[in-house]
Amino acid sequence: MSGATRRRPYAQMLRDLVWTSGSDGLILIAALVSFKILGSRLGPEDYGAYLGTFGVISPLGAITTGGLALAVMQRHLRDGTTIGDAVRPYLTIILVMAPFAIAATAAVGSLVIDRLAVGTIALLAYSELVAMSTTSIVAAATQATSGVGPASRIRMMPPLLRMACLLVLAAADAVTVHNAAAAWATAFTVLAVVLVARQLPRIGTSFGIQGASREEIGTGLQLSLPTLANNLQSDADKTILNGYGLERDAGLYGAAYRVIKMALLPLRSLNGALFHRFLTHDETQTGQHLRRARSYAAVSLPMSVVLAVGLWIAAPSLLWLVGDEFEESVSIIRWLALFLPLRSLSQAPLNGLLGLGRIKPRLVALLTASATSLIAYLVLIPYHSWKGAVMGTIGSEVVLIVLGWGLLVVYQHRHDRSLGLTPVAEQTV
């Protein structure tokens, strides 16, 4: 293999990383502006109620925005189906699920979130579970067929629209959760319709109602359930804080967690640039996915440590964003900074398991970590408030790291032994 050929995959990875970093940079700006407007205009209590709804929305969003989008890439890249057969069944599932998902979210949310009307919760659910989910599937299909760059351009649109809606509401002095939800529902619907009508034909397919086979439903569920587990781990704490009447603490903790999620954007850019490479599987190679996971961690861990240290130092800048009412969030950010390197260590083996086709063991690891976090939240939050939420979040991530790496090593070695070969020491990622 020539030097130029050997360098080509790395050049492409660098281009993909530039694209994802650029789009995530714009997303970060949009997130900062949105965070400043919502946090400063709503205050800790209403902001905590707003974030609490996502503990209800996110598990269902795992099936739509998360799992089905991953299933599109899995079906096209790993299973070799046409892009049309990969996209249409999952868009159909979203339409069929929509009324049930919105009704369930509104019913459960109204029982837990006292400060928001049922109609407001339903609008938020529609925006995330239907309009945003459609956009997510089109973006995944675009990445599977056209690469990271075109998909990144699509993924940056919703945060920019979210920011634009809030800027208009702020200029009109009309920032409420209900007004924001109504504006987002309108804007995201227009975006989804335009993408379905114009982007799908560009990548060689079109929208159409197509029933999902048992295999397609199975793939969607297998990939959705891990995302569901991850979303429960990430968002249920805010909902449980609201459920125990700790709305102010939910707002303070939620503000700190939003800062952590923004700090995760560089790691998300890295994962976005490299993720589809884990789905490429050579049945004759040994050590392939364990090696990729180690290479990923070797880059992501130092990056995350630098981010965590920088975040610990810069934590007081949160007050500039949302005001003195959120002063207590500075301490929470510093507690949560440890989450960044832990997340970089947990993501790598999960990607490796997906590349090996070991979806069920991956699911077991994520469900175990999610169950750990939920138990910790329910036990610790009533006595320790946001500190209990932090302990549950950090503890469950440690569990995920141990299980993820352990399972990846076991199944990679099992695959290698089935070939009767010694693992190859050096392979191009």
Side-chain angles (χ1 to χ4, degrees):
M1 183 181 291
S2 69
T5 303
R6 197 183 302 275
R7 287 192 297 270
R8 195 172 298 131
Y10 295 101
Q12 182 61 50
M13 281 192 288
L14 180 59
R15 284 194 293 271
D16 290 347
L17 183 57
V18 169
W19 266 114
T20 56
S21 298
S23 66
D24 281 345
L26 288 175
I27 291 171
L28 176 60
I29 294 171
L32 286 170
V33 173
S34 300
F35 180 45
K36 180 173 178 60
I37 293 172
L38 285 173
S40 60
R41 298 298 179 96
L42 297 180
E45 288 82 4
D46 284 343
Y47 188 64
Y50 160 71
L51 293 179
T53 62
F54 287 90
V56 184
I57 293 172
S58 291
L60 293 172
I63 299 174
T64 53
T65 303
L68 298 189
L70 287 176
V72 169
M73 297 179 68
Q74 175 92 351
R75 294 286 294 164
H76 183 65
L77 292 174
R78 197 176 196 281
D79 299 342
T81 62
T82 67
I83 192 61
D85 286 339
V87 169
R88 283 191 289 268
Y90 296 122
L91 285 177
T92 302
I93 287 174
I94 287 176
L95 293 178
V96 171
M97 286 182 55
F100 304 101
I102 294 168
T105 302
V108 175
S110 63
L111 294 175
V112 182
I113 313 296
D114 294 331
R115 299 179 71 90
L116 295 182
V118 175
T120 301
I121 297 172
L123 281 171
L124 289 170
Y126 165 79
S127 298
E128 301 294 328
L129 302 179
V130 182
M132 284 282 287
S133 296
T134 301
T135 298
S136 180
I137 284 184
V138 175
T142 301
Q143 181 168 342
T145 56
S146 306
V148 171
S152 296
R153 290 194 288 272
I154 294 173
R155 291 186 178 114
M156 71 175 69
M157 293 177 186
L160 293 176
L161 279 176
R162 193 185 299 272
M163 176 185 69
C165 290
L166 288 175
L167 286 172
V168 171
L169 291 174
D173 195 23
V175 177
T176 65
V177 177
H178 180 79
N179 289 346
W184 293 334
T186 303
F188 294 158
T189 298
V190 172
L191 175 62
V193 170
V194 169
L195 288 174
V196 168
R198 300 188 64 179
Q199 181 62 20
L200 288 183
R202 288 175 184 165
I203 61 174
T205 186
S206 60
F207 173 74
I209 301 298
Q210 180 174 327
S213 66
R214 180 176 298 180
E215 182 182 6
E216 288 162 342
I217 292 173
T219 299
L221 284 175
Q222 286 177 332
L223 293 171
S224 296
L225 289 174
T227 312
L228 184 151
N230 183 65
N231 287 355
L232 281 173
Q233 181 186 359
S234 300
D235 292 320
D237 42 8
K238 274 78 75 178
T239 304
I240 292 172
L241 282 164
N242 273 276
Y244 281 114
L246 301 167
E247 292 91 350
R248 178 176 173 79
D249 285 355
L252 296 170
Y253 178 79
Y257 200 86
R258 280 296 168 105
V259 173
I260 297 297
K261 290 184 75 172
M262 286 187 279
L264 281 169
L265 279 173
L267 293 174
R268 195 177 79 175
S269 296
L270 181 67
N271 193 59
L274 301 180
F275 173 74
H276 62 286
R277 289 175 172 80
F278 280 93
L279 296 179
T280 304
H281 177 67
D282 184 347
E283 190 66 29
T284 65
Q285 271 198 42
T286 58
Q288 181 181 20
H289 295 288
L290 181 57
R291 186 166 46 251
R292 285 176 176 171
R294 287 170 175 166
S295 298
Y296 179 96
V299 176
S300 64
L301 181 57
M303 181 189 298
S304 66
V305 170
V306 171
L307 289 170
V309 172
L311 189 62
W312 196 93
I313 295 171
S317 64
L318 173 70
L319 302 183
W320 171 80
L321 281 173
V322 290
D324 293 338
E325 284 185 284
F326 287 84
E327 183 177 2
E328 294 170 67
S329 293
V330 173
S331 297
I332 305 176
I333 291 173
R334 287 174 167 167
W335 276 59
L336 284 171
L338 181 60
F339 181 74
L340 297 175
L342 292 178
R343 174 50 59 94
S344 74
L345 287 174
S346 67
Q347 190 65 56
L350 295 180
N351 287 347
L353 286 169
L354 199 58
L356 275 171
R358 297 294 183 172
I359 296 176
K360 290 182 180 178
R362 181 177 184 268
L363 174 60
V364 169
L366 282 161
L367 288 176
T368 303
S370 177
T372 301
S373 65
L374 286 175
I375 293 170
Y377 296 152
L378 291 169
V379 172
L380 298 175
I381 283 176
Y383 301 101
H384 303 287
S385 188
W386 63 261
K387 291 183 179 178
V390 172
M391 287 186 279
T393 298
I394 298 299
S396 62
E397 202 66 22
V398 172
V399 169
L400 187 56
I401 290 168
V402 173
L403 288 176
W405 283 105
L407 288 169
L408 179 58
V409 169
V410 168
Y411 283 106
Q412 181 68 76
H413 287 177
R414 185 176 296 179
H415 171 267
D416 296 349
R417 286 197 301 271
S418 73
L419 300 176
L421 298 171
T422 301
V424 180
E426 297 293 335
Q427 291 280 357
T428 300
V429 176

